[in-house]
Amino acid sequence: KISAYILLFAAACLVAAGCGQSEQQANAEEQTAAPQAQTAQSAGNAITSTASLDENNWFHDWDEGLAAAAREQKPIIVDFYTDWCKWCKVMDKETFADPAVTKVMSDGWIKIKINAEEGEKSGTFEDQTLEYNRLAMAFGVRSYPSYLFFDKKGQPITVVPGFWEKDKFIPMLEYFTEELYTEEVNFQEYLESKS
């Protein structure tokens, strides 16, 4: 099953070496398209407190994040990062920490941060449990940072790689929140129209 997801997401993923290359954003905008969505299920238990959230309201546990999204009927953004990735840190400091981005994400999203090189922690997808490093690969994550988007029904939409400034990131969130991909609205044209 997982190999099928690799094929589905490969078309929407930018395969680039390194971290945060300047071409990543442009190529991501051109290549991002909504592949056929597949149902995502979590084997995690329902969360009974916010103890699993960090100070910025990110889950660091895949199963807990998916369970919270199912319970709250919210879309999900999964931030796949690595400890060594410069642009992952810049994204945290400049984009995710921006008050406007924080507000949009807090109001409508479940946020999950996953270290894509973590081999000891695991998450469940479609009744298969994979270590985080294998989970990232199963969704076609090949560069960092990369963001995996799920809709409100827990169905994966696509992966978008690269560093994004807040002026582009907020419209990206709107694109997925408003489910414009279901109306075949071009991702790149939508972002350009918001610039």
Side-chain angles (χ1 to χ4, degrees):
K1 285 184 179 179
I2 293 299
S3 61
Y5 292 112
I6 293 172
L7 294 174
L8 285 173
F9 287 101
C13 297
L14 172 65
V15 179
C19 173
Q21 297 179 357
S22 60
E23 296 94 33
Q24 269 186 324
Q25 184 170 336
N27 289 340
E29 291 174 0
E30 291 173 12
Q31 295 183 12
T32 301
Q36 297 253 334
Q38 302 294 323
T39 302
Q41 298 172 346
S42 170
N45 296 326
I47 300 161
T48 57
S49 74
T50 58
S52 299
L53 298 173
D54 68 15
E55 67 277 7
N56 297 310
N57 292 320
W58 287 85
F59 286 94
H60 289 264
D61 183 281
W62 172 273
D63 292 334
E64 290 181 354
L66 290 186
R71 187 177 63 252
E72 297 179 32
Q73 295 292 293
K74 287 184 177 180
I76 305 167
I77 180 172
V78 182
D79 173 19
F80 285 104
Y81 71 95
T82 66
D83 291 334
W84 51 262
C85 170
K86 170 190 172 183
W87 291 105
C88 298
K89 293 174 176 63
V90 174
M91 189 73 185
D92 284 339
K93 184 177 179 182
E94 294 183 10
T95 304
F96 290 141
D98 182 89
V101 173
T102 301
K103 179 169 179 19
V104 170
M105 293 184 79
S106 295
D107 288 346
W109 290 85
I110 295 295
K111 306 178 299 183
I112 307 172
K113 271 192 174 296
I114 298 294
N115 184 335
E117 294 183 325
E118 176 66 63
E120 294 181 15
K121 294 182 182 177
S122 60
T124 301
F125 180 78
E126 286 294 318
D127 298 324
Q128 292 189 25
T129 301
L130 298 173
E131 293 83 9
Y132 286 169
N133 55 352
R134 293 181 58 217
L135 196 63
M137 291 176 61
F139 282 103
V141 173
R142 300 290 181 268
S143 61
Y144 311 103
S146 285
Y147 316 100
L148 169 61
F149 291 92
F150 285 83
D151 67 15
K152 295 174 186 176
K153 296 178 182 175
Q155 297 178 326
I157 304 165
T158 194
V159 173
V160 178
F163 167 78
W164 291 79
E165 294 179 354
K166 76 168 186 173
D167 293 341
K168 291 281 189 177
F169 194 73
I170 291 174
M172 182 193 310
L173 293 173
E174 293 169 353
Y175 178 85
F176 291 110
T177 302
E178 296 172 16
E179 299 181 351
L180 298 178
Y181 53 88
T182 64
E183 301 169 22
E184 298 183 9
V185 174
N186 181 278
F187 181 72
Q188 183 177 357
E189 289 175 7
Y190 180 79
L191 294 185
E192 288 173 1
S193 74
K194 297 295 183 175
S195 296

